[in-house]
Amino acid sequence: MADTYEKLLEDSIEIAAPTDKVWSLVTDIPAMAKWSPQVVKSTVKGGIVKQGATFSNLNKQGIKRWPTGGKVIRFQPPAGATPGDFAFRIRENRTIWSFQLEPTEDGGTRLTERRETPDGVSGLSLLLTKVVLGGQQGFTDELRRGIRQTLERIKAEAEG
């Protein structure tokens, strides 16, 4: 089933920094290009990241570039022992990307990044992935590596 997509991609990392510091990094959508290997540039309409905020991205794969639009659908900052939850939906393919932040016993943060497809993936996105982006399996592998790289880069910045 090489042309089907995985409903959930997920990875986590332990960060030696408090949740509020990590929260300030993962909710800085314009800075995502520093961490995500697929994002070239992100611009938030109105400049403020909050519940309901919309943004535009320019993404890349090699020399290929394509625009997407997103909307923040969950914006729950961490508070004490309560985990933080930040999520946005990508308009073109209906995927939901999220970051969950859980405090650890040593004062650090367990950061989990997910890509979920609760409403499936749009037919156009599936077709474009197959024809332009190397097929589902290759693209999924690339996304999985990208999630890991994003988490490692956020960790480095938070601990730096």
Side-chain angles (χ1 to χ4, degrees):
M1 307 236 346
D3 289 333
T4 61
Y5 60 90
E6 291 186 42
K7 295 182 186 327
L8 174 66
L9 301 177
E10 176 181 283
D11 199 355
S12 298
I13 199 165
E14 300 283 329
I15 301 174
T19 55
D20 59 336
K21 182 172 186 178
V22 178
W23 176 260
S24 71
L25 297 175
V26 300
T27 58
D28 186 353
I29 290 174
M32 196 54 67
K34 292 193 308 187
W35 303 308
S36 172
Q38 191 178 73
V39 177
V40 175
K41 183 178 182 179
S42 298
T43 306
V44 178
K45 186 175 182 181
I48 298 172
V49 179
K50 60 183 179 180
Q51 180 79 28
T54 58
F55 58 95
S56 60
N57 286 324
L58 181 60
N59 300 305
K60 68 178 178 178
Q61 181 192 62
I63 62 169
K64 297 172 235 165
R65 303 285 187 269
W66 67 95
T68 58
K71 181 177 183 177
V72 176
I73 59 169
R74 294 194 306 264
F75 191 88
Q76 181 62 50
T82 304
D85 185 22
F86 176 64
F88 50 88
R89 179 183 297 272
I90 300 300
R91 180 179 55 238
E92 290 76 8
N93 61 18
R94 302 190 304 246
T95 60
I96 295 176
W97 288 85
S98 65
F99 292 93
Q100 276 74 45
L101 298 80
E102 299 173 69
T104 58
E105 290 184 17
D106 60 2
T109 304
R110 178 173 178 79
L111 178 63
T112 301
E113 183 178 1
R114 290 185 182 93
R115 195 234 32 201
E116 301 170 82
T117 59
D119 301 317
V121 175
S122 71
L124 180 58
S125 287
L126 291 173
L127 177 64
L128 289 173
T129 300
K130 181 179 181 179
V131 174
V132 179
L133 299 176
Q136 286 302 322
Q137 188 59 55
F139 189 64
T140 297
D141 291 345
E142 186 177 326
L143 290 176
R144 191 174 280 110
R145 286 189 303 272
I147 288 171
R148 188 71 207 162
Q149 189 171 4
T150 299
L151 291 171
E152 289 171 352
R153 288 174 173 179
I154 291 169
K155 174 183 172 76
E157 177 130 347
E159 293 178 351

